[in-house]
């Protein structure tokens, strides 16, 4: 385990994303210069926003939490050779299920109610993704297409539920969930100057640990990875490919669904009627990519993504950079991480030198 | 391996130098930035948080910002806006200004009501103001408009001027504010001509021009010739559809604009008139009160009587005098209380 951990955080695997981030920041700076804005001031404001005071730091953690969950969801499916582009939809149904349980169930004690709501959210996400997995396994339908379509189904289905069963009168949102279902941590929020802190963050970190142990330390995880690497070989070795596909999608969906549940139970305490997709699930794809589909990598990349997203408000606050340009900056960082070939090409001279060293 | 460590060390160093540079730079600009503010007539700081429509929505966010932008030049106040990307941002954006000790923080839009309440209660010393929602906190000034009264008047225009006997209403989300638009518009149309049919469509979004375009296309195909939209940036699509149809020939179609005089944006060929909401005036008024050190909490409703709503000044370009006369008559009746405009 230690050697594995070391490998993840060793210079080699960390270097490419790190250089990509720096290159992205440089490209962003050039774009800001062209636009007539001061990039140093802008990046300074970004970091000052995130690390400047406890409130903003707490809110950054709040921003990071759902990204960890959807990032894990996408990565988990990736490891089993599936592209779960439907984390968005699973996230939404997770929200709705948690909201429904949080509002409609009453009489349960504090911790139990919250747990039931969280489990409901996770299950809803899992089942939603399970549909995709089942159709892929049974009928061989491409999981990308089904899960994209299910994103929209989830969006409008959730709006329907909220509008018809959970609506607060005269508002565009559901009623507030019962206090017993809340997973907000009051004393921690007070400590963070009223930032919206909740238990979901801790569960998200535990989820990453679970991901790691399940995927690399258990027989089931071994099967999933085997199916991901080569389905035919896995089948030849006596593993059930179909079962594993459904299982991988289900667990992947649970992660995303939990992310949605945390958002309702810990942050909003109600669910708004969506006018558009919230986008957390799609961001999860980028998070998984940057994190190289490894749970601990995802913790880091979700942090990076959350810092950039949350800090971007600081860029327009402190340096008056318009949000459109900030999006270009974030986009260019993602671009360089996704297009690792470019980064490796830049790093090539160093790699070559190292090889020579080894020969000697 | 050693080389790699060295490299990353160098990069870390470079990065921290960059960061250090940032810190320095900021101090400098901070110092120079405060000088002109000191010379100016007023040194108060005002922040504005938009809803997800953004500050260029050609609608009420933009109207609100225009007021602050004008005051910036006029009174030398420091004014800034933050656009909200999603609903999560409302609390944090409001808090940026509140915790930054701004003298007044504006929230624009019904959507921000709940979060403004939270922020206001957590920071009883902060001064906040909101448009389109009523927030029940002593340190919040709530301003709402009697949109139904203004919508009634454009309804009269539409009822009198339709040639096909069908008019349409395109709304954003089904929230109380927009419901007031719809109710007033319907009542106005019926008051002008009971035989005119009103078609209603809610797109469910304030930031989706494509949906506005689709909704408008359906209505125009159905024989509607005048559409009144109350849908923020979604309405851009309604205008684009109408412009495209008028360009292609065929029967003439019109759009009635909302919140500000939209003929200035989309042209007189397509904009019949606009129902103007005095967002700019209201933001200007409350901000000036704060400049004079007179912030008051509480809520107020601005209607026809307070000149908070009404027809755009440029209406006479397309609306004939006899229709405008009828509008004025209805306006008098509403102000005197003879006609009660329904709210939903």
């Amino acid at each position: 385990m230690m050697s594995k951990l070391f490998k993840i955080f060793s210079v080699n695997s960390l270097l490419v994303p790190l250089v990509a981030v720096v290159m992205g920041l440089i490209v962003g700076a050039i774009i800001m210069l062209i636009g007539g804005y001061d990039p140093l001031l802008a990046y300074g404001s970004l970091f000052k926003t995130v690390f400047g005071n406890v409130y903003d730091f707490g809110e950054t953690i709040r921003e990071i939490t759902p990204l960890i969950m959807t990032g894990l969801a996408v990565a988990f499916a990736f490891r089993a050779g599936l592209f779960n582009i439907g984390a968005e939809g699973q996230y939404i149904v997770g929200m709705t299920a948690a909201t429904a349980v949080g509002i409609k169930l009453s009489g349960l004690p504090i911790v139990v109610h919250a747990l039931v709501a969280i489990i409901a959210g996770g299950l809803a996400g899992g089942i939603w993704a399970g549909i995709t997995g089942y159709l892929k396994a049974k009928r061989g339908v491409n999981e990308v297409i089904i899960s994209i379509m299910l994103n929209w189904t989830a969006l409008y289905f959730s709006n329907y539920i909220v509008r018809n069963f959970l609506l607060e009168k005269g508002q565009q949102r559901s009623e507030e969930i019962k206090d017993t279902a809340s997973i907000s941590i009051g004393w921690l929020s007070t400590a963070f100057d009223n930032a919206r802190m909740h238990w979901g963050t801790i569960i998200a970190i535990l989820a990453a640990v679970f991901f790691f142990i399940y995927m690399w330390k258990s027989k089931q995880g071994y099967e999933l990875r085997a199916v991901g690497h080569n389905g035919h070989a896995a089948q030849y070795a006596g593993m059930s490919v179909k079962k594993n596909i459904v299982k991988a999608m289900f667990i992947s969906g649970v992660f995303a669904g939990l992310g949605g549940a945390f958002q309702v139970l810990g942050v909003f305490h109600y669910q708004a009627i969506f006018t558009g997709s919230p986008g957390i699930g799609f961001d999860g794809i980028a998070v998984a990519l940057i994190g190289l589909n490894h749970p601990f990598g995802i913790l880091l990349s979700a942090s990076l993504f959350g810092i950039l997203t949350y800090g971007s408000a600081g860029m327009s606050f402190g340096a008056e950079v318009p949000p459109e340009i900030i999006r270009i900056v974030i986009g260019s960082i993602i671009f360089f991480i996704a297009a690792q070939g470019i980064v490796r090409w830049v790093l090539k001279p160093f790699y070559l030198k190292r090889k020579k060293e080894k020969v000697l | 391996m050693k080389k790699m460590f060295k490299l990353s060390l160098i990069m870390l160093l470079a990065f921290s130098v960059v960061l250090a540079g940032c810190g320095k730079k900021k101090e400098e600009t901070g110092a120079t930035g405060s000088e002109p503010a000191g010379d100016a007539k007023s040194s108060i700081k005002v922040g504005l948080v938009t809803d997800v429509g953004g500050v260029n929505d050609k609608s009420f966010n933009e109207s609100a910002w225009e007021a602050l932008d004008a005051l910036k030049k006029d009174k030398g106040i420091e004014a800034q806006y933050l656009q909200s990307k999603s609903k999560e941002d409302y609390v944090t954006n409001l808090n940026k200004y509140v915790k930054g000790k701004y003298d007044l923080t504006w929230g624009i839009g019904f959507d921000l009501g709940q979060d403004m309440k939270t922020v206001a209660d957590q920071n009883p010393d902060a001064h906040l103001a909101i448009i389109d929602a009523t927030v029940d906190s002593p340190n919040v000034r709530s301003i709402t408009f009697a949109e139904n009264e203004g919508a009634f008047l454009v309804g009269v225009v539409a009822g009198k001027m339709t040639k096909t006997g069908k008019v349409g209403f395109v709304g954003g989300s089904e929230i109380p504010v927009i419901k007031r638009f719809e109710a007033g518009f319907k009542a106005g149309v019926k008051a002008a001509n009971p035989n005119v049919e009103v078609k209603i469509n809610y797109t469910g979004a304030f930031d989706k021009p494509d949906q506005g375009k689709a909704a408008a296309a359906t209505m125009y195909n159905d024989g509607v010739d005048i559409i009144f939209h109350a849908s923020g940036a979604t309405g851009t699509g309604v205008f684009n559809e109408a412009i495209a149809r008028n360009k292609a020939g065929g029967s003439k179609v019109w759009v009635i604009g909302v919140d500000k005089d939209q003929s200035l944006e989309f042209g007189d060929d397509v904009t019949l008139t606009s129902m103007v909401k005095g967002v700019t005036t209201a933001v200007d008024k409350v901000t000036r009160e704060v400049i004079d050190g007179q912030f008051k909490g509480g809520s107020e409703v601005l209607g026809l009587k307070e000149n908070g709503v009404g027809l755009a000044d440029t209406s006479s370009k397309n609306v004939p005098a006899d229709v405008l006369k009828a509008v004025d008559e209805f306006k008098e009746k509403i102000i005197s209380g003879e006609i009660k405009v329904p709210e939903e």
Side-chain angles (χ1 to χ4, degrees), chain A residues 135-200:
Chain A
L135 287 173
K136 162 98 179 172
K138 266 279 184 265
R139 298 259 164 238
V141 194
N142 190 318
E143 79 274 13
V144 174
I145 294 169
I146 312 169
S147 53
I148 285 187
M149 292 197 295
L150 279 176
N151 282 342
W152 293 104
T153 317
L155 182 71
Y156 292 112
F157 178 63
S158 291
N159 278 354
Y160 174 81
I161 301 262
V162 172
R163 195 168 276 144
N164 289 291
F165 303 107
L166 308 170
L167 198 68
E168 170 106 7
K169 224 176 149 21
Q171 302 277 338
Q172 279 294 94
R173 60 176 180 83
S174 74
E175 299 166 33
E176 297 247 333
I177 56 161
K178 299 243 162 46
D179 282 344
T180 45
S182 165
I183 56 167
S184 301
I185 315 176
W187 55 269
L188 200 59
S189 291
T190 316
F192 276 91
D193 208 2
N194 291 325
R196 292 166 285 180
M197 313 300 293
H198 57 83
W199 288 108

Side-chain angles (χ1 to χ4, degrees), chain A residues 55 170 172-173 196 263 275 317, chain B residues 80 88 95 114 175-176 204:
Chain A
Y55 173 77
Q172 279 294 94
R173 60 176 180 83
R196 292 166 285 180
Q263 206 69 351
T275 52
F317 181 76
Chain B
Q80 212 193 30
E88 281 103 323
N95 265 324
Q114 179 81 15
I175 52 177

Side-chain angles (χ1 to χ4, degrees), chain A residues 11 25 38 40-41 55 59 170 172-173 176 193-194 196 263 268 272 275 312-313 316-317 320 323 357, chain B residues 3 5 15 22 25-26 80 82-83 85 87-88 91-92 95 97 99 114 122 173-176 204:
Chain A
V11 183
L25 287 174
D38 181 351
L40 292 180
L41 179 66
Y55 173 77
E59 283 289 331
Q172 279 294 94
R173 60 176 180 83
E176 297 247 333
D193 208 2
N194 291 325
R196 292 166 285 180
Q263 206 69 351
F268 289 117
T275 52
S312 69
S316 58
F317 181 76
E320 309 217 342
E357 235 169 60
Chain B
K3 271 253 160 80
F5 273 123
F15 204 59
C22 305
K25 189 89 189 179
K26 199 156 51 231
Q80 212 193 30
L82 279 175
Q83 306 195 67
K85 293 186 292 287
K87 290 180 201 297
E88 281 103 323
V91 167
T92 55
N95 265 324
Y97 291 125
K99 290 186 194 294
Q114 179 81 15
Q122 284 169 355
S173 304
E174 286 191 71
I175 52 177

Side-chain angles (χ1 to χ4, degrees), chain A residues 27-106:
Chain A
V27 169
I30 292 169
I31 289 164
M32 278 192 270
L33 274 178
I34 295 170
Y37 301 96
D38 181 351
L40 292 180
L41 179 66
Y43 287 135
S45 316
L46 190 151
F47 286 100
K48 199 186 150 211
T49 307
V50 174
F51 301 107
N53 60 53
V54 284
Y55 173 77
D56 285 320
F57 188 65
E59 283 289 331
T60 308
I61 293 174
R62 192 264 308 150
E63 183 91 40
I64 291 168
T65 306
L67 291 171
I68 296 178
M69 295 312 293
T70 51
L72 289 176
V74 175
F76 196 91
F78 256 132
R79 287 287 174 186
L82 297 159
F83 188 29
N84 180 13
I85 205 168
E88 182 84 13
Q90 293 138 26
Y91 173 85
I92 293 172
V93 293
M95 276 180 102
T96 313
T99 314
V101 171
I103 294 171
K104 292 293 176 194
L105 226 60
S106 53

Side-chain angles (χ1 to χ4, degrees), chain B residues 124-305:
Chain B
D125 295 334
H127 289 166
L128 299 118
I130 189 163
I131 295 280
D132 267 1
T134 307
V135 175
D136 185 23
S137 298
N139 54 339
V140 178
R141 178 74 168 270
S142 311
I143 292 177
T144 49
F145 294 87
E147 288 88 358
N148 47 337
E149 297 182 0
F152 186 95
L153 298 188
V154 295
V156 171
V157 173
K160 292 246 182 236
M161 289 188 66
T162 174
K163 293 202 172 66
T164 57
K166 284 181 188 169
V167 298
F169 173 80
V170 173
S173 304
E174 286 191 71
I175 52 177
V177 182
I178 306 301
K179 279 284 185 195
R180 285 203 290 276
F181 276 102
E182 185 205 327
F185 182 68
K186 275 201 288 202
V189 172
K190 296 287 175 205
N193 184 352
N195 299 322
V196 174
E197 190 187 339
V198 185
K199 289 194 181 295
I200 311 287
N201 188 338
Y202 280 93
T203 59
F206 289 101
D207 53 354
K208 296 270 186 310
D210 52 322
Q211 289 181 17
K213 195 169 162 62
T218 315
M219 284 188 178
Y220 287 137
N221 285 340
D222 255 9
V224 167
D225 62 345
I226 301 173
I227 292 180
F228 175 40
H229 91 88
S231 57
T234 302
T236 311
V238 177
F239 275 101
N240 287 341
E241 178 66 22
I243 290 168
R245 275 171 192 257
N246 285 341
K247 252 197 199 130
S251 52
K252 178 88 180 161
V253 293
W254 293 104
V255 183
I256 298 177
V258 77
D259 293 347
K260 36 188 288 181
D261 186 352
Q262 294 196 299
S263 70
L264 306 177
E265 176 80 31
F266 297 101
D268 294 317
D269 299 338
V270 69
T271 317
L272 184 57
T273 174
S274 296
M275 196 219 96
V276 187
K277 228 162 108 169
V279 176
T280 312
T281 329
V283 171
D284 182 78
K285 194 183 109 193
V286 174
T287 310
R288 273 176 198 275
E289 284 174 16
V290 173
I291 293 174
D292 300 336
Q294 305 252 314
F295 177 84
K296 284 195 301 279
S299 60
E300 60 184 313
V301 181
L302 305 179
L304 282 176
K305 200 192 269 178

